[in-house]
Amino acid sequence: MRSKTLGLSPIAVLALAALGAPRAIAHDLGLVGPVVNALLVFLPIAVWLVVVLWKRVPNPFLTLLAVGVAYGVLLGVTHQVLWSASFGDDQPALGGNLAGALSPAMEAVLLRTFAFGSSVLTGAGVGVVAGVVGWVGARLLPAARR
C-alpha cells in the first residue's frame, strides 16, 4: 500500500533505509577499508535518489527525510547490537568532571541513549541533504524531458 504523502509504501521506505545497514555493520566490526566504506556510504543514498525521482513521489524532500529517519533508527539499533563487538574491552566512558560520577550501569545507559539519538539525528541529517538534492532533481527533471 503506497502512502499518499510519501509516494512510497512504508515497506519501500524501510527497504531503502536498510540499504545503509551494511555500512554500519562493516564500520562497527572494522571489516572494510576507506574505498569500500565510501561506496557503502554513498551508493545507498544514490539509490534513494534514483528511486524517488523514478517514482516521481509528490514530495521528494519529505520522502527522503522519512527514509533518512528510518535509516537513523536502523543505524542506532545496529550500533546498539554491535556495541560490545565494536568497543571490546575499551568501552566508552564519561570523562572530565563526570568521570566516576555515575554508576557503571547508569553511565552505560546514558552513553547508549546519546549514541542512539546521535544515530537518529545523523540519519535525519542525511535525509535532509538527500531530500534537498531530490527536491532540486525533481524540479530539474521535467525541464530535461521537454
Side-chain angles (χ1 to χ4, degrees):
M1 178 178 200
R2 190 182 234 203
S3 165
K4 289 182 183 182
T5 305
L6 296 179
L8 298 174
S9 70
I11 299 282
V13 169
L14 190 58
L16 288 173
L19 292 175
R23 187 247 167 224
I25 294 166
H27 174 267
D28 283 2
L29 299 178
L31 300 176
V32 296
V35 173
V36 174
N37 187 60
L39 286 172
L40 292 173
V41 167
F42 295 110
L43 203 55
I45 297 167
V47 171
W48 298 357
L49 287 163
V50 167
V51 168
V52 163
L53 294 173
W54 176 53
K55 290 288 192 178
R56 295 185 182 190
V57 300
N59 186 338
F61 180 83
L62 184 61
T63 302
L64 288 166
L65 176 60
V67 172
V69 169
Y71 163 67
V73 170
L74 291 175
L75 184 66
V77 169
T78 301
H79 289 323
Q80 295 301 311
V81 169
L82 297 176
W83 188 275
S84 292
S86 178
F87 292 111
D89 291 334
D90 191 23
Q91 295 288 313
L94 295 174
N97 294 339
L98 296 176
L102 299 175
S103 71
M106 278 307 299
E107 190 169 313
V109 167
L110 182 68
L111 289 169
R112 284 176 171 253
T113 300
F114 275 91
F116 186 84
S118 174
S119 294
V120 174
L121 286 175
T122 297
V126 170
V128 164
V129 172
V132 168
V133 172
W135 180 82
V136 169
R139 298 295 175 269
L140 295 176
L141 211 61
R145 292 189 178 164
R146 287 185 212 154

